[in-house]
Amino acid sequence: MCCLYNRISYLIRVWMACVSLLINPGFAGKMKIVEEPNTFGLNSAFLAQASRLQPKVIPSPVSGPAHLHRLAGKCFSLTESTYKYEFCPFHNITQHEQSFRWNAYSGILGIWQEWEIANNTFTGMWMRDGDACGARNRETKVILVCSTSSKLAQVSEPSTCVYSLTFETPLVCHPHSLLVYPTLSEELQKEWDEAEQARYESLITEQGYNNLVRGVFEDAGLLKGQRVKVKQPEVAAESERHSSLQKCTEDYQKQQEEIERLRSLLTQHNIPFDSKTNEAKGTASVTVKDQHLRGDTGLFDLR
């Protein structure tokens, strides 16, 4: 009986609420509509793992000027028109359509890969391998600009699927804040110095110099590994070249050891020989006098 009474009371309250809305429609306008939280972001807790933005590659390690490394792990957002952009330095760039359509776009515009370098200066950050865009992947170049605070200032699309992002920060206001040379190790600085000297002395071409410098940047982790092997200047016969003075010295020592081994072998078998030095070439020649080595079928010409 008690349960029946409670149910009747509940129905009466519902009926009275409906009647009040019909009598005073203005009351309905004051009701607050609660919306579901927006599910933007790469790691949104409201999305199943399979539905979150999935990167195609792993971001490259943090590199470049040490004072910029403090930006790693931070994100900066900007809303333009109906899109929200989120830039996470040394990680990725994402774009989210500010719409409640069932198929609102959310995607990755690029993943951190390498620096753009020109004239000993970091001129931009390249985010590549973003979401598919036709037959290619989306990519973004980040331009660093001096400002009093760190913020994402502007995003544009100068060409299809290629974006340009302007990031303002006081970390690049010093005149030397984006120089490349100070970020290199002493060993890599030495390699760059040697390449500069070789170009100055016209020992290598401009293309060869650029290839050597790119190798330095790749070894420093500033650029992705895409070395192109170029032809070295011709300093020896086509059959064999020495890549460095150290390699040349090592080859010379091996040749001397081989000569000594042959001398010892001839002496062991009591085979007379003449050791003559070619003054022009600085090499020794061995002439066998009269017989073969035991068990040898003719390694040497008999004289």
Side-chain angles (χ1 to χ4, degrees), residues 6-79:
N6 290 337
R7 184 172 181 80
I8 293 174
S9 299
Y10 171 76
L11 292 175
I12 291 175
R13 287 198 300 271
V14 172
W15 177 79
M16 291 180 64
C18 294
V19 171
S20 64
L21 290 176
L22 292 174
I23 297 175
N24 187 13
F27 176 75
K30 299 179 182 179
M31 294 181 64
K32 182 178 180 181
I33 300 176
V34 179
E35 299 173 348
E36 290 296 323
N38 216 332
T39 56
F40 297 145
L42 179 63
N43 299 310
S44 172
F46 300 100
L47 285 177
Q49 180 63 39
S51 301
R52 301 180 190 179
L53 302 180
Q54 297 295 326
K56 294 182 178 180
V57 297
I58 298 175
S60 297
V62 176
S63 64
H67 57 277
L68 294 183
H69 294 184
R70 70 186 68 177
L71 296 174
K74 299 180 180 180
C75 294
F76 305 86
S77 61
L78 171 68
T79 301

Side-chain angles (χ1 to χ4, degrees), residues 93-218:
I93 297 175
T94 56
Q95 180 187 43
H96 311 280
E97 184 179 359
Q98 302 293 281
S99 170
F100 290 97
R101 297 185 299 112
W102 67 272
N103 62 342
Y105 175 78
S106 284
I108 299 176
L109 302 186
I111 299 170
W112 161 242
Q113 284 200 5
E114 62 181 352
W115 288 93
E116 181 178 86
I117 299 174
N119 299 324
N120 188 30
T121 304
F122 294 106
T123 57
M125 304 175 68
W126 272 107
M127 309 289 206
R128 295 192 172 98
D129 287 328
D131 288 347
C133 182
R136 60 181 300 178
N137 294 327
R138 301 176 191 272
E139 60 181 3
T140 303
K141 177 183 176 181
V142 180
I143 302 173
L144 304 176
V145 178
C146 172
S147 181
T148 56
S149 62
S150 294
K151 62 180 179 180
L152 182 54
Q154 184 180 7
V155 179
S156 61
E157 189 176 1
S159 60
T160 305
C161 306
V162 178
Y163 302 82
S164 177
L165 182 151
T166 300
F167 179 69
E168 298 180 351
T169 175
L171 298 176
V172 299
C173 291
H174 191 279
H176 299 159
S177 61
L178 292 177
L179 292 181
V180 178
Y181 190 86
T183 68
L184 303 176
S185 65
E186 290 185 6
E187 181 180 356
L188 293 178
Q189 287 180 354
K190 182 179 179 181
E191 288 187 23
W192 194 353
D193 292 340
E194 291 175 350
E196 289 280 359
Q197 185 66 27
R199 181 176 65 167
Y200 176 77
E201 296 177 359
S202 299
L203 298 178
I204 56 175
T205 63
E206 190 68 22
Q207 181 182 2
Y209 167 79
N210 292 334
N211 188 65
L212 290 175
V213 173
R214 181 177 178 86
V216 170
F217 296 159
E218 289 178 7

